Amino acid sequence: MTLHLHDIEHRELPPDAATAVRALATDIRHRLGDAPHTETLHDPVLLAQVRDRAAELPDAVRHAVRPPATAAGATVVRGLCVDDAEFGPTPPHWQAAATAAADPRHTGSLELDIALLLLARCAGEPFGWQGQQNGRLVNNILPAVGHEDEQSGASSSTLLSPHSEDAFHAARANLLMLTCLRNPDRVATTVSSVGQVRLPEEDLRALAVPTVPILPDVSYGTDFDQPAPALPTIWFDETGSPTLRYDPAYTPLDDADPVFRAAYARLTAELARVCHAPALAPGEVLLVDNDVAVHGRVPFRARYDGTDRWLKRVNVRLPERRRRPQESSENGYGQQVVAPFRASTDRTAERGRTDERGSVEQP
């Protein structure tokens, strides 16, 4: 793998804009009272505050979190105000991180969750998954004992293979936000874009044919009884823009024919060739265009002493983006979206009906 350490778009969140984000998050946290629903971030007061008050933020915030503008499909936004002391020790797993957000001694984690929801709301519509981290809208990504070698955000000692976030689902994010709280070992996140790969036409044709499914990753469990539809890997819209849907760790490639496997292998080699590897610093936000770019993480040795790498992740839907109409028929393996910020009129490829909690039930 070739790691291009600096060849990626960077943006600066101006100091006054960064201060405004944290000040608004602090104000919203105080308005929640003494018992916010920190474990799910489903508190209706919190959601209403984020929905109604994100517009108070300066235009510089919306400009900073717009989708990546280069072929790399990723952008690092610098300048978010964080202080290591406000978060407390890195929790041992995501459940502990959710619970610790209620600790009055360390209000920074909950406040940063709110700040990230505000940023995500400025970018589009933040959402979560009922089957992942109990439906939280902001996920905690940190190493966990016993998960070192699995292909999930809780791993550490193995390479987290480049992948489209939630590639198995038609309602996957258009934009992924990964925010760094702590990264003392400068562990790199990998990002590769289909916009920078070079493949022959015959490979592109092979990869455009729905051949094998993409299965849900281990963070959603392992008990799925829904049919697994075959999916295309790369396709082009009417403007010639590519879309990539890629997750080799959860794709049964042994079931594919030799032509497809060879094309997939060449795609994998190309994604490695064009890989960027930003090592996020505290306060930096990595924006990944999940329609064209894949992301992963290099291996590292977790210490489990409260100082390990700690990121937060938010999935964002961009209402103006349209996806293949064929995706509306996918079953999504029964995984439902928690979408409290969904627009009342939805004409994108996220099909399904919205229930009273704001989640989407896929057909």
Side-chain angles (χ1 to χ4, degrees):
M1 179 180 291
T2 302
L3 300 180
H4 304 278
L5 298 180
H6 306 294
D7 183 18
I8 195 169
E9 180 188 18
H10 286 83
R11 299 174 187 161
E12 297 290 335
L13 188 63
D16 58 340
T19 299
V21 171
R22 286 305 303 261
L24 183 53
T26 300
D27 184 67
I28 292 174
R29 178 175 61 80
H30 286 309
R31 289 172 184 264
L32 293 178
D34 296 330
H37 296 282
T38 55
E39 291 196 11
T40 60
L41 294 182
H42 288 169
D43 188 296
V45 176
L46 183 154
L47 295 175
Q49 285 280 308
V50 171
R51 180 184 298 109
D52 297 340
R53 302 188 64 190
E56 297 177 17
L57 294 171
D59 289 341
V61 175
R62 280 169 282 279
H63 187 70
V65 297
R66 70 193 189 279
T70 70
T75 299
V76 175
V77 181
R78 296 167 169 159
L80 187 63
C81 304
V82 299
D83 179 354
D84 189 78
E86 69 179 324
F87 302 119
T90 301
H93 45 73
W94 70 261
Q95 295 98 327
T99 302
D103 187 340
R105 297 170 301 172
H106 300 291
T107 59
S109 182
L110 175 58
E111 190 169 302
L112 188 61
D113 286 346
I114 298 170
L116 296 182
L117 285 179
L118 289 167
L119 291 178
R121 189 69 187 106
C122 287
E125 296 174 359
F127 70 91
W129 298 94
Q130 289 185 356
Q132 186 180 68
Q133 297 202 11
N134 288 346
R136 284 179 60 86
L137 300 178
V138 181
N139 295 160
N140 289 282
I141 308 300
L142 30 75
V145 173
H147 299 267
E148 289 87 351
D149 296 318
E150 72 182 20
Q151 285 294 309
S152 78
S155 68
S156 52
S157 61
T158 192
L159 174 73
L160 182 61
S161 298
H163 60 282
S164 307
E165 189 71 9
D166 302 314
F168 72 94
H169 207 291
R172 63 199 178 278
N174 303 112
L175 184 68
L176 189 68
M177 296 178 59
L178 292 170
T179 302
C180 179
L181 284 69
R182 183 173 291 145
N183 191 13
D185 301 313
R186 301 291 292 166
V187 178
T189 302
T190 63
V191 186
S192 304
S193 170
V194 68
Q196 295 184 314
V197 304
R198 295 195 297 264
L199 289 172
E201 286 296 325
E202 56 267 27
D203 282 353
L204 294 174
R205 286 194 296 269
L207 294 168
V209 176
T211 303
V212 287
I214 302 175
L215 305 176
D217 71 63
V218 69
S219 67
Y220 291 93
T222 56
D223 185 18
F224 305 107
D225 56 7
Q226 290 84 3
L231 304 173
T233 303
I234 299 177
W235 62 93
F236 294 83
D237 64 19
E238 60 275 8
T239 68
S241 298
T243 297
L244 178 64
R245 202 167 169 180
Y246 176 88
D247 193 349
Y250 293 95
T251 300
L253 292 170
D254 289 344
D255 296 339
D257 60 81
V259 172
F260 180 88
R261 290 201 305 270
Y264 201 96
R266 284 187 283 271
L267 170 62
T268 298
E270 275 294 289
L271 290 171
R273 182 183 65 83
V274 301
C275 179
H276 306 277
L280 297 178
E284 292 186 337
V285 181
L286 177 64
L287 303 176
V288 180
D289 187 330
N290 197 47
D291 289 329
V292 299
V294 295
H295 68 285
R297 190 215 61 243
V298 302
F300 68 100
R301 176 171 293 181
R303 292 182 292 270
Y304 305 120
D305 62 355
T307 66
D308 281 321
R309 177 180 184 261
W310 185 1
L311 305 184
K312 287 180 180 285
R313 176 182 65 206
V314 186
N315 292 296
V316 181
R317 173 181 173 271
L318 303 178
E320 67 275 13
R321 292 261 183 111
R322 302 179 68 89
R323 289 214 170 105
R324 299 169 65 250
Q326 295 91 326
E327 294 188 5
S328 64
S329 64
E330 294 180 22
N331 59 59
Y333 300 90
Q335 298 304 310
Q336 297 181 1
V337 177
V338 180
F341 299 100
R342 176 183 297 279
S344 58
T345 301
D346 182 3
R347 293 181 295 175
T348 72
E350 268 187 44
R351 303 295 190 251
R353 60 186 184 276
T354 304
D355 68 17
E356 65 275 11
R357 296 165 298 175
S359 62
V360 174
E361 300 177 6
Q362 294 297 327

